[in-house]
Structure formats: structure tokens, C-alpha cells
Amino acid sequence: PFYVPANSIDEYRAADGWKEFYNIKPVTNRMAASDIAGYSGDTIVMPVALKNHLGDVTALQCDIRLANGMQLATDAEGYYDITLGDRATKRHGVTCKKQADGAVRVLIYASDNKALNGNDGPLFYAKVAVPLELPTGNYGFEIDNIELTSPDGVKYLPESCSATVAVKYARLGDSNHDTRVSIGDVITTAAYVLGNDPKPFVYEAAD
């Protein structure tokens, strides 16, 4: 069988190339991303879960698409900062690469075809870098082009999922907007009170 999103099964059955398959079935497996929140200049952790109640899964791919201005954070060596969750076994690894359309493709697999732990829970955590100059607001992100593979080669194509990053301009106390609350904020606030017009100065954070 070939498993495709339930709301698209008729289109798959009628599409050129796909209509040659006679055993196309709706998939109940799905990925789920959670809404997250943080401040401009922050790095926010984005958890992504996998629910595969229909058969074991050993490997998957997906594309992460962030709103303009945001990007996945990288580590000291320049690799995307994505770590595996509890569903991955010690045999599983993760690799990522930015695609031509701007999405970051994530691959998770085990060289010995070992299935993921359980059938529900956190699969990986991606760190999202929020630019310091990004305005306050809600920014959407999407995970699509999802393909799951079972140990015996069955493929599942779940629906895409999406969530929101809620961004605030600055955290309380960070009056100089350097993403930290420190003695520097006291000095900046004192300068404002004295009329010295410090820049930058975030009144809402100082109040």
C-alpha cells in the first residue's frame, strides 16, 4: 500500500503517474509542531512531534519553512542546530541542508533500519534564530514535504503542519535591547531619566 494525506486521496488516485497505483490508502500518521514565543534577538527552541499510529517508522524527511526574517540557528561549526528527541534511538542520526527554495530539509534515519521508539512524542527540536530588528508580531512556520518510511519499505505521506512564533520586541528589564538583563540596562535607564537620550532605549522594557 501507498499512504497519502486523507484529504488528497482522490487527487492522488486521478493524477498522472499516481493513478497507476491501485492500493493508495489514507494516512493517519502526522507530524505536529507547537506554537512558540520569544523576544527579538532570542534563539527559541521549536519542538516537533511525530504520531505514527499506523505502522512503525524508521526514517523520514521533511522541509521546514520559516517566515521571512527568521532562520534556523546554527552551531559553532555552522551546522543547523537540530537535536533528536526521545522518539529517536541511539542508532538514529539527523542531517539537514538548505534547499533552493529556502526551506531546510531534515533527514532522520538509522543505518540498520531500526524503528523509532514508541508511536507518539517529540521527534526533534530545532532552534529558531529571531533577528534583533524583527518587529513584534506573530510569524507562521510550516513543515511540509513530509515522507515517512517503515522498516519494510512502506511509505507514508502525511499532511503538512504549521504553527506560530510569537515575537515580542524586548523582555522586561532589557532597556538597552542587547537580549540580556544586566547592569548595562540600569545605566541606560538612568541615562534616560537624566535626559541623556541613550540609544537604543526601550521604554516599555524599562517601565
Side-chain angles (χ1 to χ4, degrees):
F2 200 90
Y3 293 90
V4 302
N7 62 357
S8 305
I9 192 167
D10 290 337
E11 287 83 354
Y12 273 95
R13 286 172 173 167
D16 290 339
W18 290 97
K19 59 187 178 183
E20 308 299 328
F21 293 88
Y22 294 100
N23 200 11
I24 298 178
K25 296 183 177 181
V27 64
T28 57
N29 298 340
R30 66 187 184 91
M31 295 185 73
S34 302
D35 293 339
I36 54 179
Y39 297 91
S40 56
D42 275 356
T43 297
I44 311 172
V45 177
M46 177 180 70
V48 178
L50 172 64
K51 299 182 179 182
N52 56 289
H53 300 296
L54 185 65
D56 288 334
V57 170
T58 183
L60 68 93
Q61 76 170 49
C62 64
D63 290 350
I64 300 177
R65 303 179 189 278
L66 297 172
N68 290 339
M70 290 190 184
Q71 58 186 355
L72 291 183
T74 54
D75 61 21
E77 297 181 346
Y79 296 104
Y80 288 113
D81 200 346
I82 293 180
T83 56
L84 294 174
D86 294 340
R87 295 225 40 207
T89 71
K90 293 182 179 180
R91 302 292 184 86
H92 283 88
V94 58
T95 186
C96 318
K97 185 177 180 180
K98 191 170 186 177
Q99 303 300 295
D101 62 0
V104 175
R105 181 157 298 166
V106 179
L107 303 180
I108 297 174
Y109 59 92
S111 58
D112 61 356
N113 243 18
K114 187 172 181 61
L116 294 168
N117 291 321
N119 58 18
D120 190 356
L123 179 61
F124 67 86
Y125 300 90
K127 292 185 178 179
V128 179
V130 183
L132 190 63
E133 67 278 3
L134 195 68
T136 296
N138 293 326
Y139 297 83
F141 65 88
E142 185 176 18
I143 300 176
D144 63 8
N145 192 29
I146 305 168
E147 183 175 313
L148 314 177
T149 304
S150 73
D152 55 358
V154 176
K155 290 186 178 181
Y156 306 94
L157 303 179
E159 298 175 10
S160 61
C161 65
S162 60
T164 299
V165 183
V167 176
K168 298 181 180 180
Y169 183 64
R171 59 172 44 85
L172 292 178
D174 184 20
S175 61
N176 65 3
H177 202 209
D178 65 353
T179 74
R180 299 181 302 117
V181 177
S182 65
I183 188 63
D185 300 297
V186 177
I187 295 171
T188 297
T189 302
Y192 174 82
V193 173
L194 292 171
N196 293 332
D197 194 25
K199 296 186 182 302
F201 177 72
V202 183
Y203 182 88
E204 293 78 6
D207 187 17

